[in-house]
Amino acid sequence: MNLKSLLLFALSTTTMHTILISQDIIYDEISMGAGYENMLFYSLEDGLVGEAPMAGWDLSFDVRPMGSTANINCGLGHTLYPFGSLDDWDTASLENWEIPSPYRNDHSNWSVGAFNQGNDPNDGFDLGWGIYDIVTHVVTADHMYVLQLPSGDYKKLAILSLASGVYTFRHANMDGSEEFEVEINKDDFEGKLHAYFNIENNEVLDYEPDANWDLLAMRYLGDIGDGVLYGVTGILMNYGVLTQQMDGLTDPFVDGEIDAALLTDDINAIGSDWKSYSMTAGYSEVEDRCYAVSDMSGNLWRVVFT
């Protein structure tokens, strides 16, 4: 089995000193399956705690108490486009449509999804897909979108509101057929980061494990340099997890100094570049690198990809 489907970890708990002092080393491996089939939820304390089909969902919604983010499945090839006023829902058509620049998830921050793009940066109440009312605490839609699925089909879609912890959104074919209005209640996903949604089945999905997880192995759209976006397979961190990348280590299991100022909450700080690809040799890990990771409970770990 190769690195397309198998990720290998070496983990060691550490103490918060200037020098990371290795304790017990845990060797673990997690398999995404052939063709990166599954997303894997991983706890540094408990190992693999959940998995879900990468192709099972189209949208995800931030279900944290203060969350208001909505994402698309960029890793599977979904593309989101702004499509004007919500008042044009009934007459929306792709005829003579001038395709605008697409909206993508920001994979450095769980709080900035594709539906949060295009907001007015000077208006703190503009969340992209809707406007927050400081009096009622309700977010209300002001425009609609077109979502292109990996199949090439198009759907029109609008997140209508977020009120009292309930997302209400609408989706339909471009000709207006198969129109549905859906509600997702955050209370049904207490303690979790996202609720997921499958458009074809019109189904709300509870994919995250009940157990705490620190790392998520999945496919997503990454910047591979000079602003070029490309589908990659890598590691994203849960909200509240921090990490520091350390390079140039003779022995990544014991070498390296931690600097608290360099711990970052960028969710793609581990990302996909812990491995490299050669046309002749295939995938290989970066051998002189490790990651200091502060998990959901505040424990500090050294993570080495082997």
Side-chain angles (χ1 to χ4, degrees), residues 2 7 16-17 36 41 44 70 96 127 144 147 150 155 183 202 207 211 214 235 238 243 250 255 259 272 300:
N2 57 38
L7 305 179
M16 182 67 86
H17 292 177
Y36 318 100
F41 298 88
L44 293 170
N96 300 320
L127 303 184
M144 59 176 288
L147 177 67
K155 298 280 187 177
E183 290 187 349
N202 195 46
Y207 273 168
D214 304 299
I235 304 294
N238 199 353
T243 192
T250 302
D255 296 338
D259 183 344
S272 64
L300 189 67

Side-chain angles (χ1 to χ4, degrees), residues 62-272:
D62 189 334
V63 290
R64 292 173 293 174
M66 300 300 292
S68 58
T69 304
N71 304 278
I72 61 175
N73 192 341
C74 288
L76 205 64
H78 294 65
T79 307
L80 186 72
Y81 299 98
F83 203 77
S85 172
L86 184 58
D87 294 336
D88 299 327
W89 176 270
D90 291 334
T91 58
S93 170
L94 297 180
E95 186 176 356
N96 300 320
W97 180 41
E98 294 185 8
I99 301 178
S101 297
Y103 289 164
R104 313 285 194 186
N105 304 332
D106 181 346
H107 283 109
S108 66
N109 190 333
W110 289 124
S111 296
V112 185
F115 286 92
N116 301 101
Q117 307 294 342
N119 63 316
D120 182 351
N122 298 315
D123 183 353
F125 303 113
D126 184 352
L127 303 184
W129 62 264
I131 304 297
Y132 174 73
D133 188 313
I134 194 172
V135 176
T136 64
H137 305 296
V138 172
V139 185
T140 304
D142 58 355
H143 54 271
M144 59 176 288
Y145 300 86
V146 165
L147 177 67
Q148 184 176 15
L149 302 175
S151 64
D153 293 338
Y154 291 90
K155 298 280 187 177
K156 55 183 178 180
L157 195 150
I159 305 176
L160 302 176
S161 65
L162 173 58
S164 301
V166 177
Y167 289 98
T168 302
F169 63 99
R170 180 189 302 161
H171 66 91
N173 295 327
M174 292 304 300
D175 63 5
S177 62
E178 298 185 36
E179 180 173 315
F180 298 94
E181 190 166 300
V182 183
E183 290 187 349
I184 293 180
N185 192 329
K186 291 184 180 184
D187 288 345
D188 295 334
F189 302 89
E190 186 176 355
K192 299 187 178 183
L193 179 59
H194 288 123
Y196 294 83
F197 185 76
N198 183 296
I199 287 180
E200 181 179 358
N201 299 331
N202 195 46
E203 183 180 10
V204 180
L205 301 164
D206 186 0
Y207 273 168
E208 290 186 18
D210 293 328
N212 285 337
W213 57 273
D214 304 299
L215 308 177
L216 172 61
M218 67 177 295
R219 295 162 58 188
Y220 62 94
L221 208 60
D223 187 339
I224 60 173
D226 299 324
V228 177
L229 297 176
Y230 188 77
V232 300
T233 300
I235 304 294
L236 301 179
M237 301 188 304
N238 199 353
Y239 178 77
V241 177
L242 306 174
T243 192
Q244 176 191 344
Q245 177 178 312
M246 293 180 283
D247 290 307
L249 309 177
T250 302
D251 184 346
F253 289 92
V254 296
D255 296 338
E257 297 184 359
I258 188 170
D259 183 344
L262 297 180
L263 285 170
T264 178
D265 61 358
D266 288 350
I267 65 173
N268 60 351
I270 295 178
S272 64

